[in-house]
Amino acid sequence: MPRVLVPAVFLLLLPLSTLAATINIGLITFDPFLPGPDGTNIVNITNFTADFALPPDFPVLTPLTFLSGTLTLSNGEPLVIPLGDLAPGPLTLPGSLEFPDTATFSSALFTATLSQTSFLLSDGTTFQADSPAIVATLVPSEGPTLTPGIDFAVLSVTGEVSTVIPEPASLLLLGTALATLAAARRIRRVL
């Protein structure tokens, strides 16, 4: 009987709750960089995890790396830019994501793979991503091309948030079962 009771006690003490969720992990923006007649615009990509987390909007405390990142800019023929692995924080590839302000793009597609799919959130819960794939498309908010300083896309993943929820009814049931077992042992000792 005690062997059967141990798993039951464990399950009663740690009821698990899971909720489907979308968690933000980063941001891609199209911004003006240098104004003027020979001005430039820049694509910024920021990994908001670990030390760069900004709860509650970007709540991931585990350091995630965006593996094998690529940026595909479209306007006619696609321009594919390999970014490599992006650690937490802003992407720092000087010059590679700067473009003359006369260059126009109809969209920007960012793809990468998460370094891990299970991570800790700022509220103490655990998140399990459905997939390690990260895909975000930056599209114009108005008009046919991206507007510097206005257009952005949030990098996010979907999955389940898991949390341990104490249930008073379970604890009461466990207490009743333990009290009954203790009473049964006393009765056996007396007889």
Side-chain angles (χ1 to χ4, degrees):
M1 179 125 157
R3 290 182 187 178
V4 174
L5 187 59
V6 171
V9 168
F10 181 74
L11 290 174
L12 288 173
L13 287 175
L14 298 174
L16 190 63
S17 173
T18 59
L19 300 169
T22 298
I23 300 295
N24 299 331
I25 57 173
L27 194 63
I28 178 173
T29 61
F30 186 59
D31 296 311
F33 186 61
L34 294 173
D38 294 325
T40 58
N41 294 326
I42 190 168
V43 175
N44 288 305
I45 301 170
T46 306
N47 175 340
F48 284 114
T49 65
D51 292 339
F52 295 89
L54 299 171
D57 296 322
F58 297 91
V60 179
L61 298 181
T62 302
L64 300 178
T65 300
F66 303 162
L67 304 171
S68 303
T70 61
L71 181 67
T72 304
L73 296 163
S74 297
N75 197 19
E77 191 168 321
L79 171 62
V80 179
I81 303 168
L83 304 172
D85 297 344
L86 287 72
L91 172 65
T92 53
L93 293 174
S96 65
L97 298 178
E98 293 177 26
F99 306 96
D101 63 4
T102 55
T104 59
F105 303 104
S106 58
S107 67
L109 174 67
F110 174 77
T111 59
T113 303
L114 284 173
S115 57
Q116 62 190 71
T117 57
S118 180
F119 36 88
L120 179 66
L121 302 179
S122 61
D123 63 1
T125 59
T126 302
F127 183 82
Q128 178 64 48
D130 292 335
S131 166
I134 305 169
V135 178
T137 305
L138 180 59
V139 295
S141 55
E142 57 184 50
T145 60
L146 296 174
T147 305
I150 295 177
D151 293 326
F152 69 95
V154 176
L155 306 176
S156 60
V157 292
T158 59
E160 292 184 342
V161 175
S162 299
T163 183
V164 175
I165 301 174
E167 293 183 14
S170 295
L171 294 176
L172 180 61
L173 178 61
L174 176 63
T176 303
L178 292 175
T180 302
L181 286 173
R185 282 188 175 195
R186 285 185 200 157
I187 291 173
R188 276 192 237 158
R189 286 183 188 164
V190 172
L191 296 177

